[in-house]
């Protein structure tokens, strides 16, 4: 997992991300949370022809087996005198034995070698999505995979932002390679704001007041309670009619209408004038958000999958993409020689 941040102001686009890369395996722990053995309709555990218990696929979960630091999750996709586009990535770290940063570098070199010119940030994002999709399909063997397995393939996600020669304002997009979806962000008049991807629950809680996982859980619980209460109300109404000696026709059924519930999830969004943020303020905010998600990982149970060095990149119209304070590879342990 990772944390990706993009902040768009009137002056700049600031990208942020962490630098941990984790290896994840799908596994089942049958003795945790009540067990994951498959059962029949009567609740009896199923066994196979050899007498071994059958594992329930419903208990399949991703588990982190290893974590590395120093992953490069931010990179430039295209640059010329008038257009500059960069991206941050989350999800799969490699495709066909090449890092995502390496694949982005191939994309950039291919376009430079062919003399391809992009005039808009969206054109760069669309071409990059098509490029990565080819690599992704090769990695997951998409062409020969059964249709029912394809929705479960791991995804590669990107936030792509930049300025094109023909773009009136900055542009930011979210990309999903598995779904082949490109979605523009900040489509309102100011074209400013922040978006995030990857593992962002603590960032969501700070900016939105609640994270998406909790929203889903509460909405599901409320829906289930409403369905239960609806049945109880209908039954109570029918019982009262019978108690009053009202003749109810045979076969009559009473169904309560469906009342959609809209909870006020959006009323606690933090008030920030993103458009008027100075570029330095946007940098400060991006590093705050990445460090918040990374820092909370230190105290959460399990293996931390967000952390390491925080990377910040800045895009401005007419300027080259710049990553701030990036370290170089070093060789510190030079041995035990005492030569001057």
């Amino acid at each position: 997992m990772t944390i990706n941040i993009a902040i768009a102001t009137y002056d700049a686009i600031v990208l942020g991300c962490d630098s941990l890369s984790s290896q994840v395996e799908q596994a089942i722990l049958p003795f945790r949370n009540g067990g994951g053995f498959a059962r029949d309709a009567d609740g009896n555990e199923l066994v196979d022809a050899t007498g071994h218990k059958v594992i329930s696929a419903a208990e399949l979960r991703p588990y982190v087996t290893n974590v590395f630091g120093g992953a490069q999750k931010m990179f430039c996709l295209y640059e010329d005198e008038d257009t500059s586009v960069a991206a941050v990535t989350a999800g799969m770290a490699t495709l066909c034995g090449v890092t995502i940063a390496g694949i982005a570098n191939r994309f950039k070199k291919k376009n430079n070698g062919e003399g391809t010119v992009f005039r808009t940030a969206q054109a760069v994002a669309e071409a990059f999505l098509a490029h990565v999709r080819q690599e992704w399909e090769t990695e997951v063997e998409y062409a020969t995979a059964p249709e029912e397995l394809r929705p479960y393939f791991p995804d590669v996600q990107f936030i792509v932002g930049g300025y094109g020669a023909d773009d009136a304002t900055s542009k930011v997009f979210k990309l999903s390679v598995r779904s082949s979806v490109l979605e523009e962000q900040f489509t309102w008049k100011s074209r400013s704001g922040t978006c995030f991807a990857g593992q962002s629950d603590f960032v969501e809680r700070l900016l939105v007041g609640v994270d998406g996982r909790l929203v889903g859980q509460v909405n599901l619980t409320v829906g289930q309670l409403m369905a239960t209460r609806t049945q109880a109300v209908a039954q109570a109404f029918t019982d009262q009619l019978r108690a009053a000696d009202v003749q109810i026709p045979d076969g009559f059924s009473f169904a309560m209408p469906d009342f959609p519930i809209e909870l006020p999830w959006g009323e606690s969004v933090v008030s920030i004038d993103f458009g008027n943020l100075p570029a330095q303020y946007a940098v400060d905010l991006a590093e705050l958000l990445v460090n918040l998600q990374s820092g909370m990982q230190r105290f959460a149970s399990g293996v931390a999958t967000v952390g390491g060095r925080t990377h910040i990149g800045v895009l401005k119209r007419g300027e080259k993409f710049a990553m701030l304070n990036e370290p170089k590879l070093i060789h510190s342990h030079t041995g035990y020689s005492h030569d001057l």
Side-chain angles (χ1 to χ4, degrees), residues 146-318:
E147 187 71 29
E148 63 272 15
L149 294 182
R150 292 178 178 178
Y152 301 99
F153 286 149
D155 197 8
V156 187
Q157 301 171 351
F158 298 93
I159 298 179
V160 175
Y163 296 83
D166 294 342
D167 291 328
T169 64
S170 63
K171 296 284 186 176
V172 177
F173 304 90
K174 279 189 176 182
L175 280 59
S176 168
V177 176
R178 180 179 60 195
S179 303
S180 293
V181 170
L182 182 150
E183 182 180 7
E184 184 175 357
Q185 309 294 295
F186 320 138
T187 55
W188 39 87
K189 186 176 181 180
S190 70
R191 297 287 182 176
S192 62
T194 184
C195 64
F196 31 82
Q199 189 173 337
S200 57
D201 49 342
F202 290 104
V203 170
E204 287 185 272
R205 293 175 194 179
L206 178 66
L207 295 179
V208 185
V210 64
D211 67 88
R213 182 175 56 180
L214 181 58
V215 170
Q217 291 174 344
V218 171
N219 286 340
L220 177 61
T221 301
V222 170
Q224 292 172 340
L225 289 174
M226 285 295 296
T228 302
R229 296 295 186 271
T230 297
Q231 295 174 358
V233 169
Q235 186 61 50
F237 181 69
T238 303
D239 293 342
Q240 292 180 40
L241 289 178
R242 290 197 176 99
D245 294 327
V246 175
Q247 187 64 35
I248 300 177
D250 293 338
F252 174 79
S253 63
F254 177 78
M256 291 285 287
D258 183 23
F259 298 104
I261 298 176
E262 294 292 336
L263 298 176
W265 297 118
E267 294 188 3
S268 298
V269 175
V270 66
S271 178
I272 298 176
D273 185 3
F274 287 100
N276 287 308
L277 283 181
Q280 183 60 58
Y281 278 37
V283 168
D284 296 341
L285 179 56
E287 65 185 22
L288 166 68
L289 297 177
V290 175
N291 288 339
L292 169 65
Q293 189 69 40
S294 298
M296 291 303 295
Q297 284 279 293
R298 294 183 62 190
F299 310 105
S301 61
V303 180
T305 55
V306 177
R309 182 181 178 84
T310 294
H311 297 279
I312 299 293
V314 179
L315 291 146
K316 286 190 173 185
R317 185 178 292 279

Side-chain angles (χ1 to χ4, degrees), residues 2-19:
T2 188
I3 176 65
N4 290 168
I5 299 290
I7 298 174
T9 73
Y10 295 144
D11 184 47
I13 297 173
V14 177
L15 301 177
C17 67
D18 71 316
S19 58

